[in-house]
């Protein structure tokens, strides 16, 4: 009798274990929501990523807490704001002894794996399997660090190879155990190098210009004036836009410096033949145009913007193809129904708004990140969610899907009740944001702030400047209302709420006038 009870009990546990959903979390690097057709149809068609929205839920207002790579990745695995998990900027080494989401999954009987960009400087812990790109990684013939700590070169294009490795892990995973698999792409990060077939497809496309492309920085605050993320001034013709330096050497206004030439050669020389010659041939058009037309100012920006978009979106097309490969794999292996698939980017990305590229700002363009979740049977197909969600919620949500309670160290909210429509809103009315990496590329001053449904207050505390935006009337955040008499009441309210948020999240580090 006791044996029978034991057997029944074990088999019940087994059934439960098998029913727990698998989770595939896909994150690409610098993939802005506008470059996903489920969000915006003006630039690119991404049928595979869109499938997640068609069969699941599209989050229209998902945001990060510190719009830069390493910090968001640390937030992803800890469910914490940067001041709590310690990873405030890209240079910090993440303390791998910390308790994290993958470790909680392991404790609960999940097998865990990550393939692709990691960027936390210490080796992954909490993963039964990992294979990561060193640092930013390479687009072509990428190198991977394996669990043994050795580094080897793989043949092919990074997005394809990362997917190959992820699928390979799926093929060899332990049977009968639920899994969490992270697939972290390098693309479409700077220097925006796509595989030949997509360069061919995209290099003559023309994209609509954002209304703020030609805005200069006059009239805005110190932070706007100091930034170095202008497509016109800071994006490099050779290393970013692949114009062969040979075309530019005798033209003083375009002449690349030594560093850029070295960078260009390193990028091109890594591409195996015959693709390298074909890619160079395509990009010759840009060099010839510059020589012939000698554009400057607005006219040059017009070209640079188009070339940037062509290259960036060609990278996205390859990401989309590879998302399709993963979804096909799930279909072919009868895994679709019991697997939650999440797609995000690590943050947003400027695609010409304000004349910029890169991210970092608390402005919505870079604070927003795509989030699409498919979970058949739980999420109603084709749902759209307008609730404000944040990167601190990813870990509680993934754990929540597996029936695991949010650990007390996490600061985010489990979104599962939103996914299965048991709940319409969250018990959180505004989001906290804090960016720290000022002494680095693109020179964005440190700032923190609060984003409510309608208003956003930003404090650049190293220069003691505040900005206030009305997101309803000014979604592009062009008009700083800090001195508007009509907004003094809301300003006071936001300052009070910001202090409360800082208390709530336990951020007591001095920041200008605060604390
Ligand atoms: C590199 C890029 C920057 C980019 C950072 C951070 N420069 O340094 O443009 O902002 O990465 O990106 S590059 O010339 O080396 O491409 S992040 O996604 O890792 O945060
Ligand atoms: Ca990034």
């Amino acid at each position: 009798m006791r044996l029978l009870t034991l057997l029944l009990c074990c088999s019940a546990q087994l059934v439960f274990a098998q029913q727990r959903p698998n989770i595939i979390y896909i994150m690409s690097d610098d993939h802005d929501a506008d470059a996903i057709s489920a969000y915006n149809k003006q630039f690119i068609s991404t049928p595979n990523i869109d499938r997640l929205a068609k069969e699941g839920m599209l989050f229209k207002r998902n945001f990060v807490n510190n719009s830069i790579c390493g910090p968001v990745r640390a937030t992803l695995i800890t469910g914490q704001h940067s001041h709590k998990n310690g990873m405030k900027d890209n240079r910090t080494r993440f303390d791998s002894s910390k308790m994290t989401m993958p470790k909680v999954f392991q404790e609960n009987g999940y097998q865990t794996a990550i393939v692709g960009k990691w960027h936390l400087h210490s080796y992954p812990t909490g993963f039964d399997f990992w294979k990561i790109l060193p640092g930013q990684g390479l687009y072509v013939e990428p190198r991977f660090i394996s669990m043994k700590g050795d580094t080897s070169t793989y043949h092919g294009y990074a997005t394809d190879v990362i997917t190959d490795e992820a699928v390979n892990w799926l093929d060899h995973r332990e049977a009968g155990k639920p899994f969490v698999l992270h697939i972290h792409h390098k693309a479409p990060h700077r220097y925006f190098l796509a595989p030949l077939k997509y360069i061919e497809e995209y290099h003559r496309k023309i994209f609509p210009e954002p209304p703020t492309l030609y805005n200069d920085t006059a009239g805005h605050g110190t932070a706007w004036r100091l930034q170095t993320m202008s497509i016109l001034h800071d994006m490099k013709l050779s290393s970013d836009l692949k114009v062969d330096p040979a075309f530019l050497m005798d033209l003083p206004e375009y002449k690349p410096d030594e560093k850029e030439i070295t960078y260009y050669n390193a990028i091109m020389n890594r591409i195996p033949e015959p693709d390298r010659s074909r890619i160079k041939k395509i990009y010759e058009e840009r060099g010839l145009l510059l020589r012939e037309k000698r554009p400057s100012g607005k006219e040059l920006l017009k070209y640079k913007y188009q070339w940037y978009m062509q290259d960036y979106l060609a990278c996205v097309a390859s990401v989309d193809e590879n998302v399709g490969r993963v979804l096909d794999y799930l279909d072919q292996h009868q895994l679709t129904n019991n697997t939650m698939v999440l797609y995000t980017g690590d943050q947003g990305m400027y695609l010409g708004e304000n004349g910029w590229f890169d991210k970092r700002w608390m402005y919505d363009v870079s604070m927003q990140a795509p989030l699409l979740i498919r979970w058949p049977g739980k999420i109603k197909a084709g749902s759209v969610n307008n609730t404000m969600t944040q990167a601190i919620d990813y870990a509680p949500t993934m754990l929540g899907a597996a029936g695991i309670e949010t650990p007390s160290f996490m600061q985010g909210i489990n979104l599962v009740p939103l996914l299965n429509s048991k709940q319409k809103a969250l018990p959180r009315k505004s989001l906290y944001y804090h960016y720290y990496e000022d002494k680095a590329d693109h020179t964005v001053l440190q700032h923190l702030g609060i984003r409510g449904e309608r208003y956003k207050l930003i404090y650049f505390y190293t220069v003691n400047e505040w900005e206030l935006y009305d997101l309803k009337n000014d979604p592009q955040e062009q008009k700083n209302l800090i001195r508007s008499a009509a907004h003094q009441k809301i300003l006071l309210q936001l300052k009070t709420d910001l202090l409360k948020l800082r208390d709530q999240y336990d951020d007591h580090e001095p920041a200008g006038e605060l604390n």
Side-chain angles (χ1 to χ4, degrees), residues 5 20 25 28 45 59 98 102 119 137 172 185 188 200 206 229 313 361 455 466 487 495 511 515:
T5 319
R20 284 185 296 168
Y25 175 87
S28 45
S45 166
F59 285 82
K98 275 190 185 301
H119 213 201
H172 294 97
H185 291 296
E200 281 171 340
I206 298 294
M229 57 173 68
L313 294 170
W361 302 96
Y455 293 99
W466 294 83
H487 292 85
K495 279 192 176 170
N515 294 343

Side-chain angles (χ1 to χ4, degrees), residues 53-219:
K54 273 203 194 105
E55 297 169 11
M57 189 177 273
L58 179 78
F59 285 82
K60 286 257 174 152
R61 295 202 300 164
N62 179 57
F63 298 94
V64 297
N65 47 303
N66 180 2
S67 179
I68 190 79
C69 189
V72 174
R73 287 158 205 270
T75 291
L76 159 68
I77 56 169
T78 59
Q80 292 176 325
H81 279 282
S82 309
H83 63 277
K84 277 278 162 199
N85 64 39
M87 187 89 191
K88 293 178 180 171
D89 55 36
N90 267 345
R91 290 172 191 162
T92 314
R93 185 184 166 87
F94 180 71
D95 174 2
S96 58
S97 69
K98 275 190 185 301
M99 195 55 188
T100 57
M101 164 176 71
K103 290 180 188 170
V104 178
F105 269 120
Q106 281 181 326
E107 282 176 356
N108 283 273
Y110 269 73
Q111 50 190 322
T112 56
I114 178 163
V115 181
K117 187 170 176 185
W118 175 244
H119 213 201
L120 297 185
H121 306 297
S122 51
Y123 286 160
T125 52
F127 291 96
D128 300 314
F129 175 84
W130 55 264
K131 193 172 272 192
I132 55 168
L133 304 174
Q136 294 285 6
L138 294 161
Y139 269 116
V140 177
E141 308 294 283
R143 290 183 298 155
F144 284 86
I145 308 173
S146 80
M147 291 173 75
K148 289 187 213 132
D150 57 5
T151 305
S152 0
T153 302
Y154 285 59
H155 177 55
Y157 180 73
T159 312
D160 301 329
V161 181
I162 289 167
T163 310
D164 295 343
E165 291 301 312
V167 165
N168 190 35
W169 180 81
L170 283 171
D171 277 337
H172 294 97
R173 71 188 197 279
E174 206 180 309
K177 216 177 171 188
F179 65 83
V180 181
L181 168 63
H182 287 246
I183 306 175
H184 290 193
H185 291 296
K186 176 200 169 47
H189 189 271
R190 193 179 187 189
Y191 42 83
F192 327 113
L193 181 65
L196 173 63
K197 65 174 174 180
Y198 290 117
I199 298 177
E200 281 171 340
E201 191 181 328
Y202 278 79
H203 80 284
R204 290 220 175 107
K205 290 194 191 234
I206 298 294
F207 301 97
E209 293 176 350
T212 59
L213 179 64
Y214 300 99
N215 279 15
D216 60 27
T217 54

Side-chain angles (χ1 to χ4, degrees), residues 29-30 69 189 346-347 359:
D29 197 2
D30 293 1
C69 189
H189 189 271
D346 53 350
Q347 4 64 206
K359 50 267 176 175

Side-chain angles (χ1 to χ4, degrees), residues 197-419:
K197 65 174 174 180
Y198 290 117
I199 298 177
E200 281 171 340
E201 191 181 328
Y202 278 79
H203 80 284
R204 290 220 175 107
K205 290 194 191 234
I206 298 294
F207 301 97
E209 293 176 350
T212 59
L213 179 64
Y214 300 99
N215 279 15
D216 60 27
T217 54
H220 293 283
T222 308
W224 278 53
R225 283 200 305 277
L226 291 182
Q227 53 71 30
T228 50
M229 57 173 68
S230 134
I231 295 177
L232 178 60
H233 303 293
D234 305 306
M235 185 175 270
K236 308 283 184 206
L237 283 170
S238 290
S239 55
D240 287 321
L241 301 173
K242 295 99 186 163
V243 180
D244 193 328
F247 285 100
L248 310 176
M249 292 314 282
D250 60 338
L251 305 177
E253 71 270 42
Y254 305 138
K255 192 176 174 219
D257 61 20
E258 278 309 312
K259 197 174 150 212
E260 197 184 336
I261 298 171
T262 311
Y263 211 169
Y264 171 86
N265 288 330
I267 293 168
M268 286 300 163
N269 292 340
R270 221 176 156 80
I271 308 173
E273 290 291 11
D275 289 19
R276 186 197 310 162
S277 300
R278 291 196 186 143
I279 287 174
K280 282 187 146 194
K281 185 85 200 136
I282 291 173
Y283 286 130
E284 257 181 38
E285 284 178 18
R286 295 181 183 175
L288 290 169
L289 185 143
L290 288 169
R291 291 193 72 80
E292 189 199 322
K293 299 209 162 147
R294 304 284 285 272
S296 64
K298 270 190 172 182
E299 204 198 348
L300 179 58
L301 173 56
K302 203 177 201 34
Y303 287 115
K304 286 179 91 176
Y305 166 73
Q306 294 299 339
W307 296 340
Y308 167 37
M309 292 300 277
Q310 289 164 1
D311 292 359
Y312 178 91
L313 294 170
C315 292
V316 171
S318 153
V319 170
D320 186 65
E321 178 194 336
N322 279 287
V323 169
R325 286 179 61 204
V326 173
L327 300 184
D328 287 348
Y329 183 98
L330 297 180
D331 289 342
Q332 284 152 12
H333 293 80
Q334 286 75 49
L335 286 167
T336 301
N337 283 341
N338 197 32
T339 303
M340 173 193 239
V341 181
L342 301 94
Y343 185 88
T344 68
D346 53 350
Q347 4 64 206
M349 182 76 174
Y350 274 86
L351 301 177
E353 299 91 341
N354 294 344
W356 295 347
F357 67 113
D358 213 65
K359 50 267 176 175
R360 300 163 193 269
W361 302 96
M362 194 191 165
Y363 304 127
D364 271 8
V365 177
S366 44
M367 186 179 175
Q368 195 200 345
L371 173 64
L372 302 92
I373 308 181
R374 183 183 78 175
W375 192 12
K378 305 282 183 188
I379 300 179
K380 197 164 150 256
S383 12
V384 175
N385 198 298
N386 285 307
T387 316
M388 288 197 295
T389 54
Q390 201 172 24
I392 48 171
D393 305 332
Y394 302 160
T397 304
M398 289 161 70
L399 291 169
I404 304 165
E405 221 176 284
T406 306
S408 58
F409 68 87
M410 291 190 178
Q411 299 183 305
I413 298 176
N414 170 10
L415 304 176
V416 168
L418 289 185
L419 299 180

